[in-house]
Each structure stands twice: as structure tokens, then as C-alpha cells.
Amino acid sequence: AQSVAQPEDQVNVAEGNPLTVKCTYSVSGNPYLFWYVQYPNRGLQFLLKYITGDNLVKGSYGFEAEFNKSQTSFHLKKPSALVSDSALYFCAVRPTYSGAGSYQLTFGKGTKLSVIP
Amino acid sequence: EAGVTQFPSHSVIEKGQTVTLRCDPISGHDNLYWYRRVMGKEIKFLLHFVKESKQDESGMPNNRFLAERTGGTYSTLKVQPAELEDSGVYFCASSQRRGGVDEQFFGPGTRLTVL
């Protein structure tokens, strides 16, 4: 069975500072990894994904994430935080095998990011 | 391009009543998924349609939940009879069917409250 851990329920960062939202995963074999963001009263919006190749993945709104296989982590980063980045962030994993269950996303509990002006 | 839409946005019902949630996926997306987030917990997978066929319903909690996707377009998720523990936000998502790993596009969710 696969699982995702987001160890921080909340992250506070000052506007203009770099931000990191942590994610670790557990899965058999190689994973597909995703980050989604949820703004208030909105659905989840896709930010970026890792499938294979370069460990540093760039996504929407200036976000990037680094895949670290040895640490089974996929932390979300941004060099300079904006107040508008304040939202709920979800990390998700999907298995790479084909067949039943292979399309399921397994999510972490989410991390609330607050960017302070 | 219109995104995934869900109706209603909120529903408040009494225990024992029936509720039907609707999801309209992005046009042309063959894959349709239902997920649920109970307060404070993770978003959990419920089931996956490919067109009108149920591909994976391993996440459906029990037989009080019935999902349909007639004609392979919109989908409904019926809860009958509803119980208190069914309260939460129900998300629908869709993705294209093609080679590769496609991201799932999510709707805004339906917040269900069972009293």
C-alpha cells in the first residue's frame, strides 16, 4: 500500500522569503508524484508532477519540487513567496504499475501555507 | 475550456435521507474519478470510471454508495441512506485517456453535511 506524509499542518513564511512545503512518500517501486493547491472555496488545482528524468520539476506560478529517491521525498519550493500563495497544498502519489488501482491518487493530509505580508 | 463542475456546492440532509451528487467532467475526458475528504483527514479515492464503465471501485466505503455514469458523460454519486460519517467534501476529477501520466483536473467539490 502507498502512503504520503506531509509532516507540517501549517507553514508560515514572510512575503519575499523562500518557502518549502515538505512531502515524503511510501510506495512499492517508482512513484508518480504530484502537487496540488486548493484556494478557499475552489477545487484542487494541479501544480506540477514528477514522472521520470530530471529530479527538479518546475510547475505553475513559479513553484518547483525536487524528487529525492533516497529520502523518498518530494518537497515543494518557491524562491520568493507571495501573499497570494497562501492556500492549502496537497502532495499525492500514484503507482507506476498498470492495471487495477493504478489511476488512484493517494494524498497527504495537506499543509496550510500562510504568507505574511 | 470549461473545467470540472459539481452540483450542488453544498448539501445539508438528515440522517437516513438520500442525496445525489452530480459531476460534469471536462469535455472529451474519458476518465472520471470520485474522491472524498472527511474533515481533518486525507482526500480518499472512491472510484474510477473509464467512459461508462467502472474501472476501479475499491474505495467505495459500502453499498450505501452508488455511482453511475450513463452514456459516459456526467456522473452521479448517490448516498442512500446517508449516515453521519458520510459528511465531508466530495470531489470529482477527470483526465484524458491517452498514453502517459495525465494530471487529474478537480472540481470545486460538494460539501455534504449529514445531521
Side-chain angles (χ1 to χ4, degrees), chain A residues 20 43 45 52 79 96 104 108:
Chain A
T20 299
Q45 293 182 32
T52 187
T96 56
Q104 293 184 23

PDB file of all heavy atoms in Angstrom, chain A residues 20 43 45 52 79 96 104 108:
ATOM      1  N   THR A  20       9.214  26.293   1.616  1.00  0.00           N
ATOM      2  CA  THR A  20       9.299  24.851   1.391  1.00  0.00           C
ATOM      3  C   THR A  20       8.125  24.189   2.077  1.00  0.00           C
ATOM      4  O   THR A  20       7.859  24.454   3.252  1.00  0.00           O
ATOM      5  CB  THR A  20      10.612  24.267   1.957  1.00  0.00           C
ATOM      6  OG1 THR A  20      11.729  24.864   1.304  1.00  0.00           O
ATOM      7  CG2 THR A  20      10.664  22.754   1.725  1.00  0.00           C
ATOM      8  N   GLY A  43     -11.665  24.204  -6.165  1.00  0.00           N
ATOM      9  CA  GLY A  43     -11.203  22.824  -6.248  1.00  0.00           C
ATOM     10  C   GLY A  43      -9.692  22.751  -6.223  1.00  0.00           C
ATOM     11  O   GLY A  43      -9.015  23.773  -6.179  1.00  0.00           O
ATOM     12  N   GLN A  45      -6.143  22.495  -7.676  1.00  0.00           N
ATOM     13  CA  GLN A  45      -5.514  22.866  -8.940  1.00  0.00           C
ATOM     14  C   GLN A  45      -4.160  22.185  -9.044  1.00  0.00           C
ATOM     15  O   GLN A  45      -3.379  22.216  -8.105  1.00  0.00           O
ATOM     16  CB  GLN A  45      -5.321  24.379  -9.017  1.00  0.00           C
ATOM     17  CG  GLN A  45      -6.598  25.180  -9.097  1.00  0.00           C
ATOM     18  CD  GLN A  45      -6.307  26.662  -9.223  1.00  0.00           C
ATOM     19  OE1 GLN A  45      -5.305  27.058  -9.811  1.00  0.00           O
ATOM     20  NE2 GLN A  45      -7.168  27.482  -8.672  1.00  0.00           N
ATOM     21  N   THR A  52       9.503  10.934 -14.486  1.00  0.00           N
ATOM     22  CA  THR A  52      10.827  10.346 -14.584  1.00  0.00           C
ATOM     23  C   THR A  52      11.779  11.435 -15.049  1.00  0.00           C
ATOM     24  O   THR A  52      11.359  12.526 -15.408  1.00  0.00           O
ATOM     25  CB  THR A  52      10.827   9.159 -15.568  1.00  0.00           C
ATOM     26  OG1 THR A  52      12.096   8.497 -15.527  1.00  0.00           O
ATOM     27  CG2 THR A  52      10.562   9.626 -16.983  1.00  0.00           C
ATOM     28  N   PRO A  79      11.188  30.210  -4.639  1.00  0.00           N
ATOM     29  CA  PRO A  79      12.275  31.089  -4.181  1.00  0.00           C
ATOM     30  C   PRO A  79      11.792  32.319  -3.416  1.00  0.00           C
ATOM     31  O   PRO A  79      12.474  32.775  -2.503  1.00  0.00           O
ATOM     32  CB  PRO A  79      12.980  31.498  -5.474  1.00  0.00           C
ATOM     33  CG  PRO A  79      12.552  30.495  -6.494  1.00  0.00           C
ATOM     34  CD  PRO A  79      11.182  30.047  -6.092  1.00  0.00           C
ATOM     35  N   THR A  96       3.190   3.300 -10.424  1.00  0.00           N
ATOM     36  CA  THR A  96       3.616   3.269 -11.821  1.00  0.00           C
ATOM     37  C   THR A  96       3.210   1.993 -12.536  1.00  0.00           C
ATOM     38  O   THR A  96       3.371   1.888 -13.738  1.00  0.00           O
ATOM     39  CB  THR A  96       5.147   3.422 -11.925  1.00  0.00           C
ATOM     40  OG1 THR A  96       5.763   2.401 -11.132  1.00  0.00           O
ATOM     41  CG2 THR A  96       5.598   4.780 -11.438  1.00  0.00           C
ATOM     42  N   GLN A 104      -5.405   5.550  -9.129  1.00  0.00           N
ATOM     43  CA  GLN A 104      -5.749   6.188  -7.860  1.00  0.00           C
ATOM     44  C   GLN A 104      -4.652   7.143  -7.418  1.00  0.00           C
ATOM     45  O   GLN A 104      -3.472   6.796  -7.443  1.00  0.00           O
ATOM     46  CB  GLN A 104      -5.890   5.133  -6.753  1.00  0.00           C
ATOM     47  CG  GLN A 104      -7.016   4.186  -6.884  1.00  0.00           C
ATOM     48  CD  GLN A 104      -7.085   3.265  -5.672  1.00  0.00           C
ATOM     49  OE1 GLN A 104      -6.587   3.584  -4.593  1.00  0.00           O
ATOM     50  NE2 GLN A 104      -7.708   2.115  -5.839  1.00  0.00           N
ATOM     51  N   GLY A 108      -1.634  13.241   0.775  1.00  0.00           N
ATOM     52  CA  GLY A 108      -1.307  13.577   2.141  1.00  0.00           C
ATOM     53  C   GLY A 108      -2.449  14.393   2.747  1.00  0.00           C
ATOM     54  O   GLY A 108      -3.420  14.725   2.066  1.00  0.00           O
TER      55      GLY A 108
END
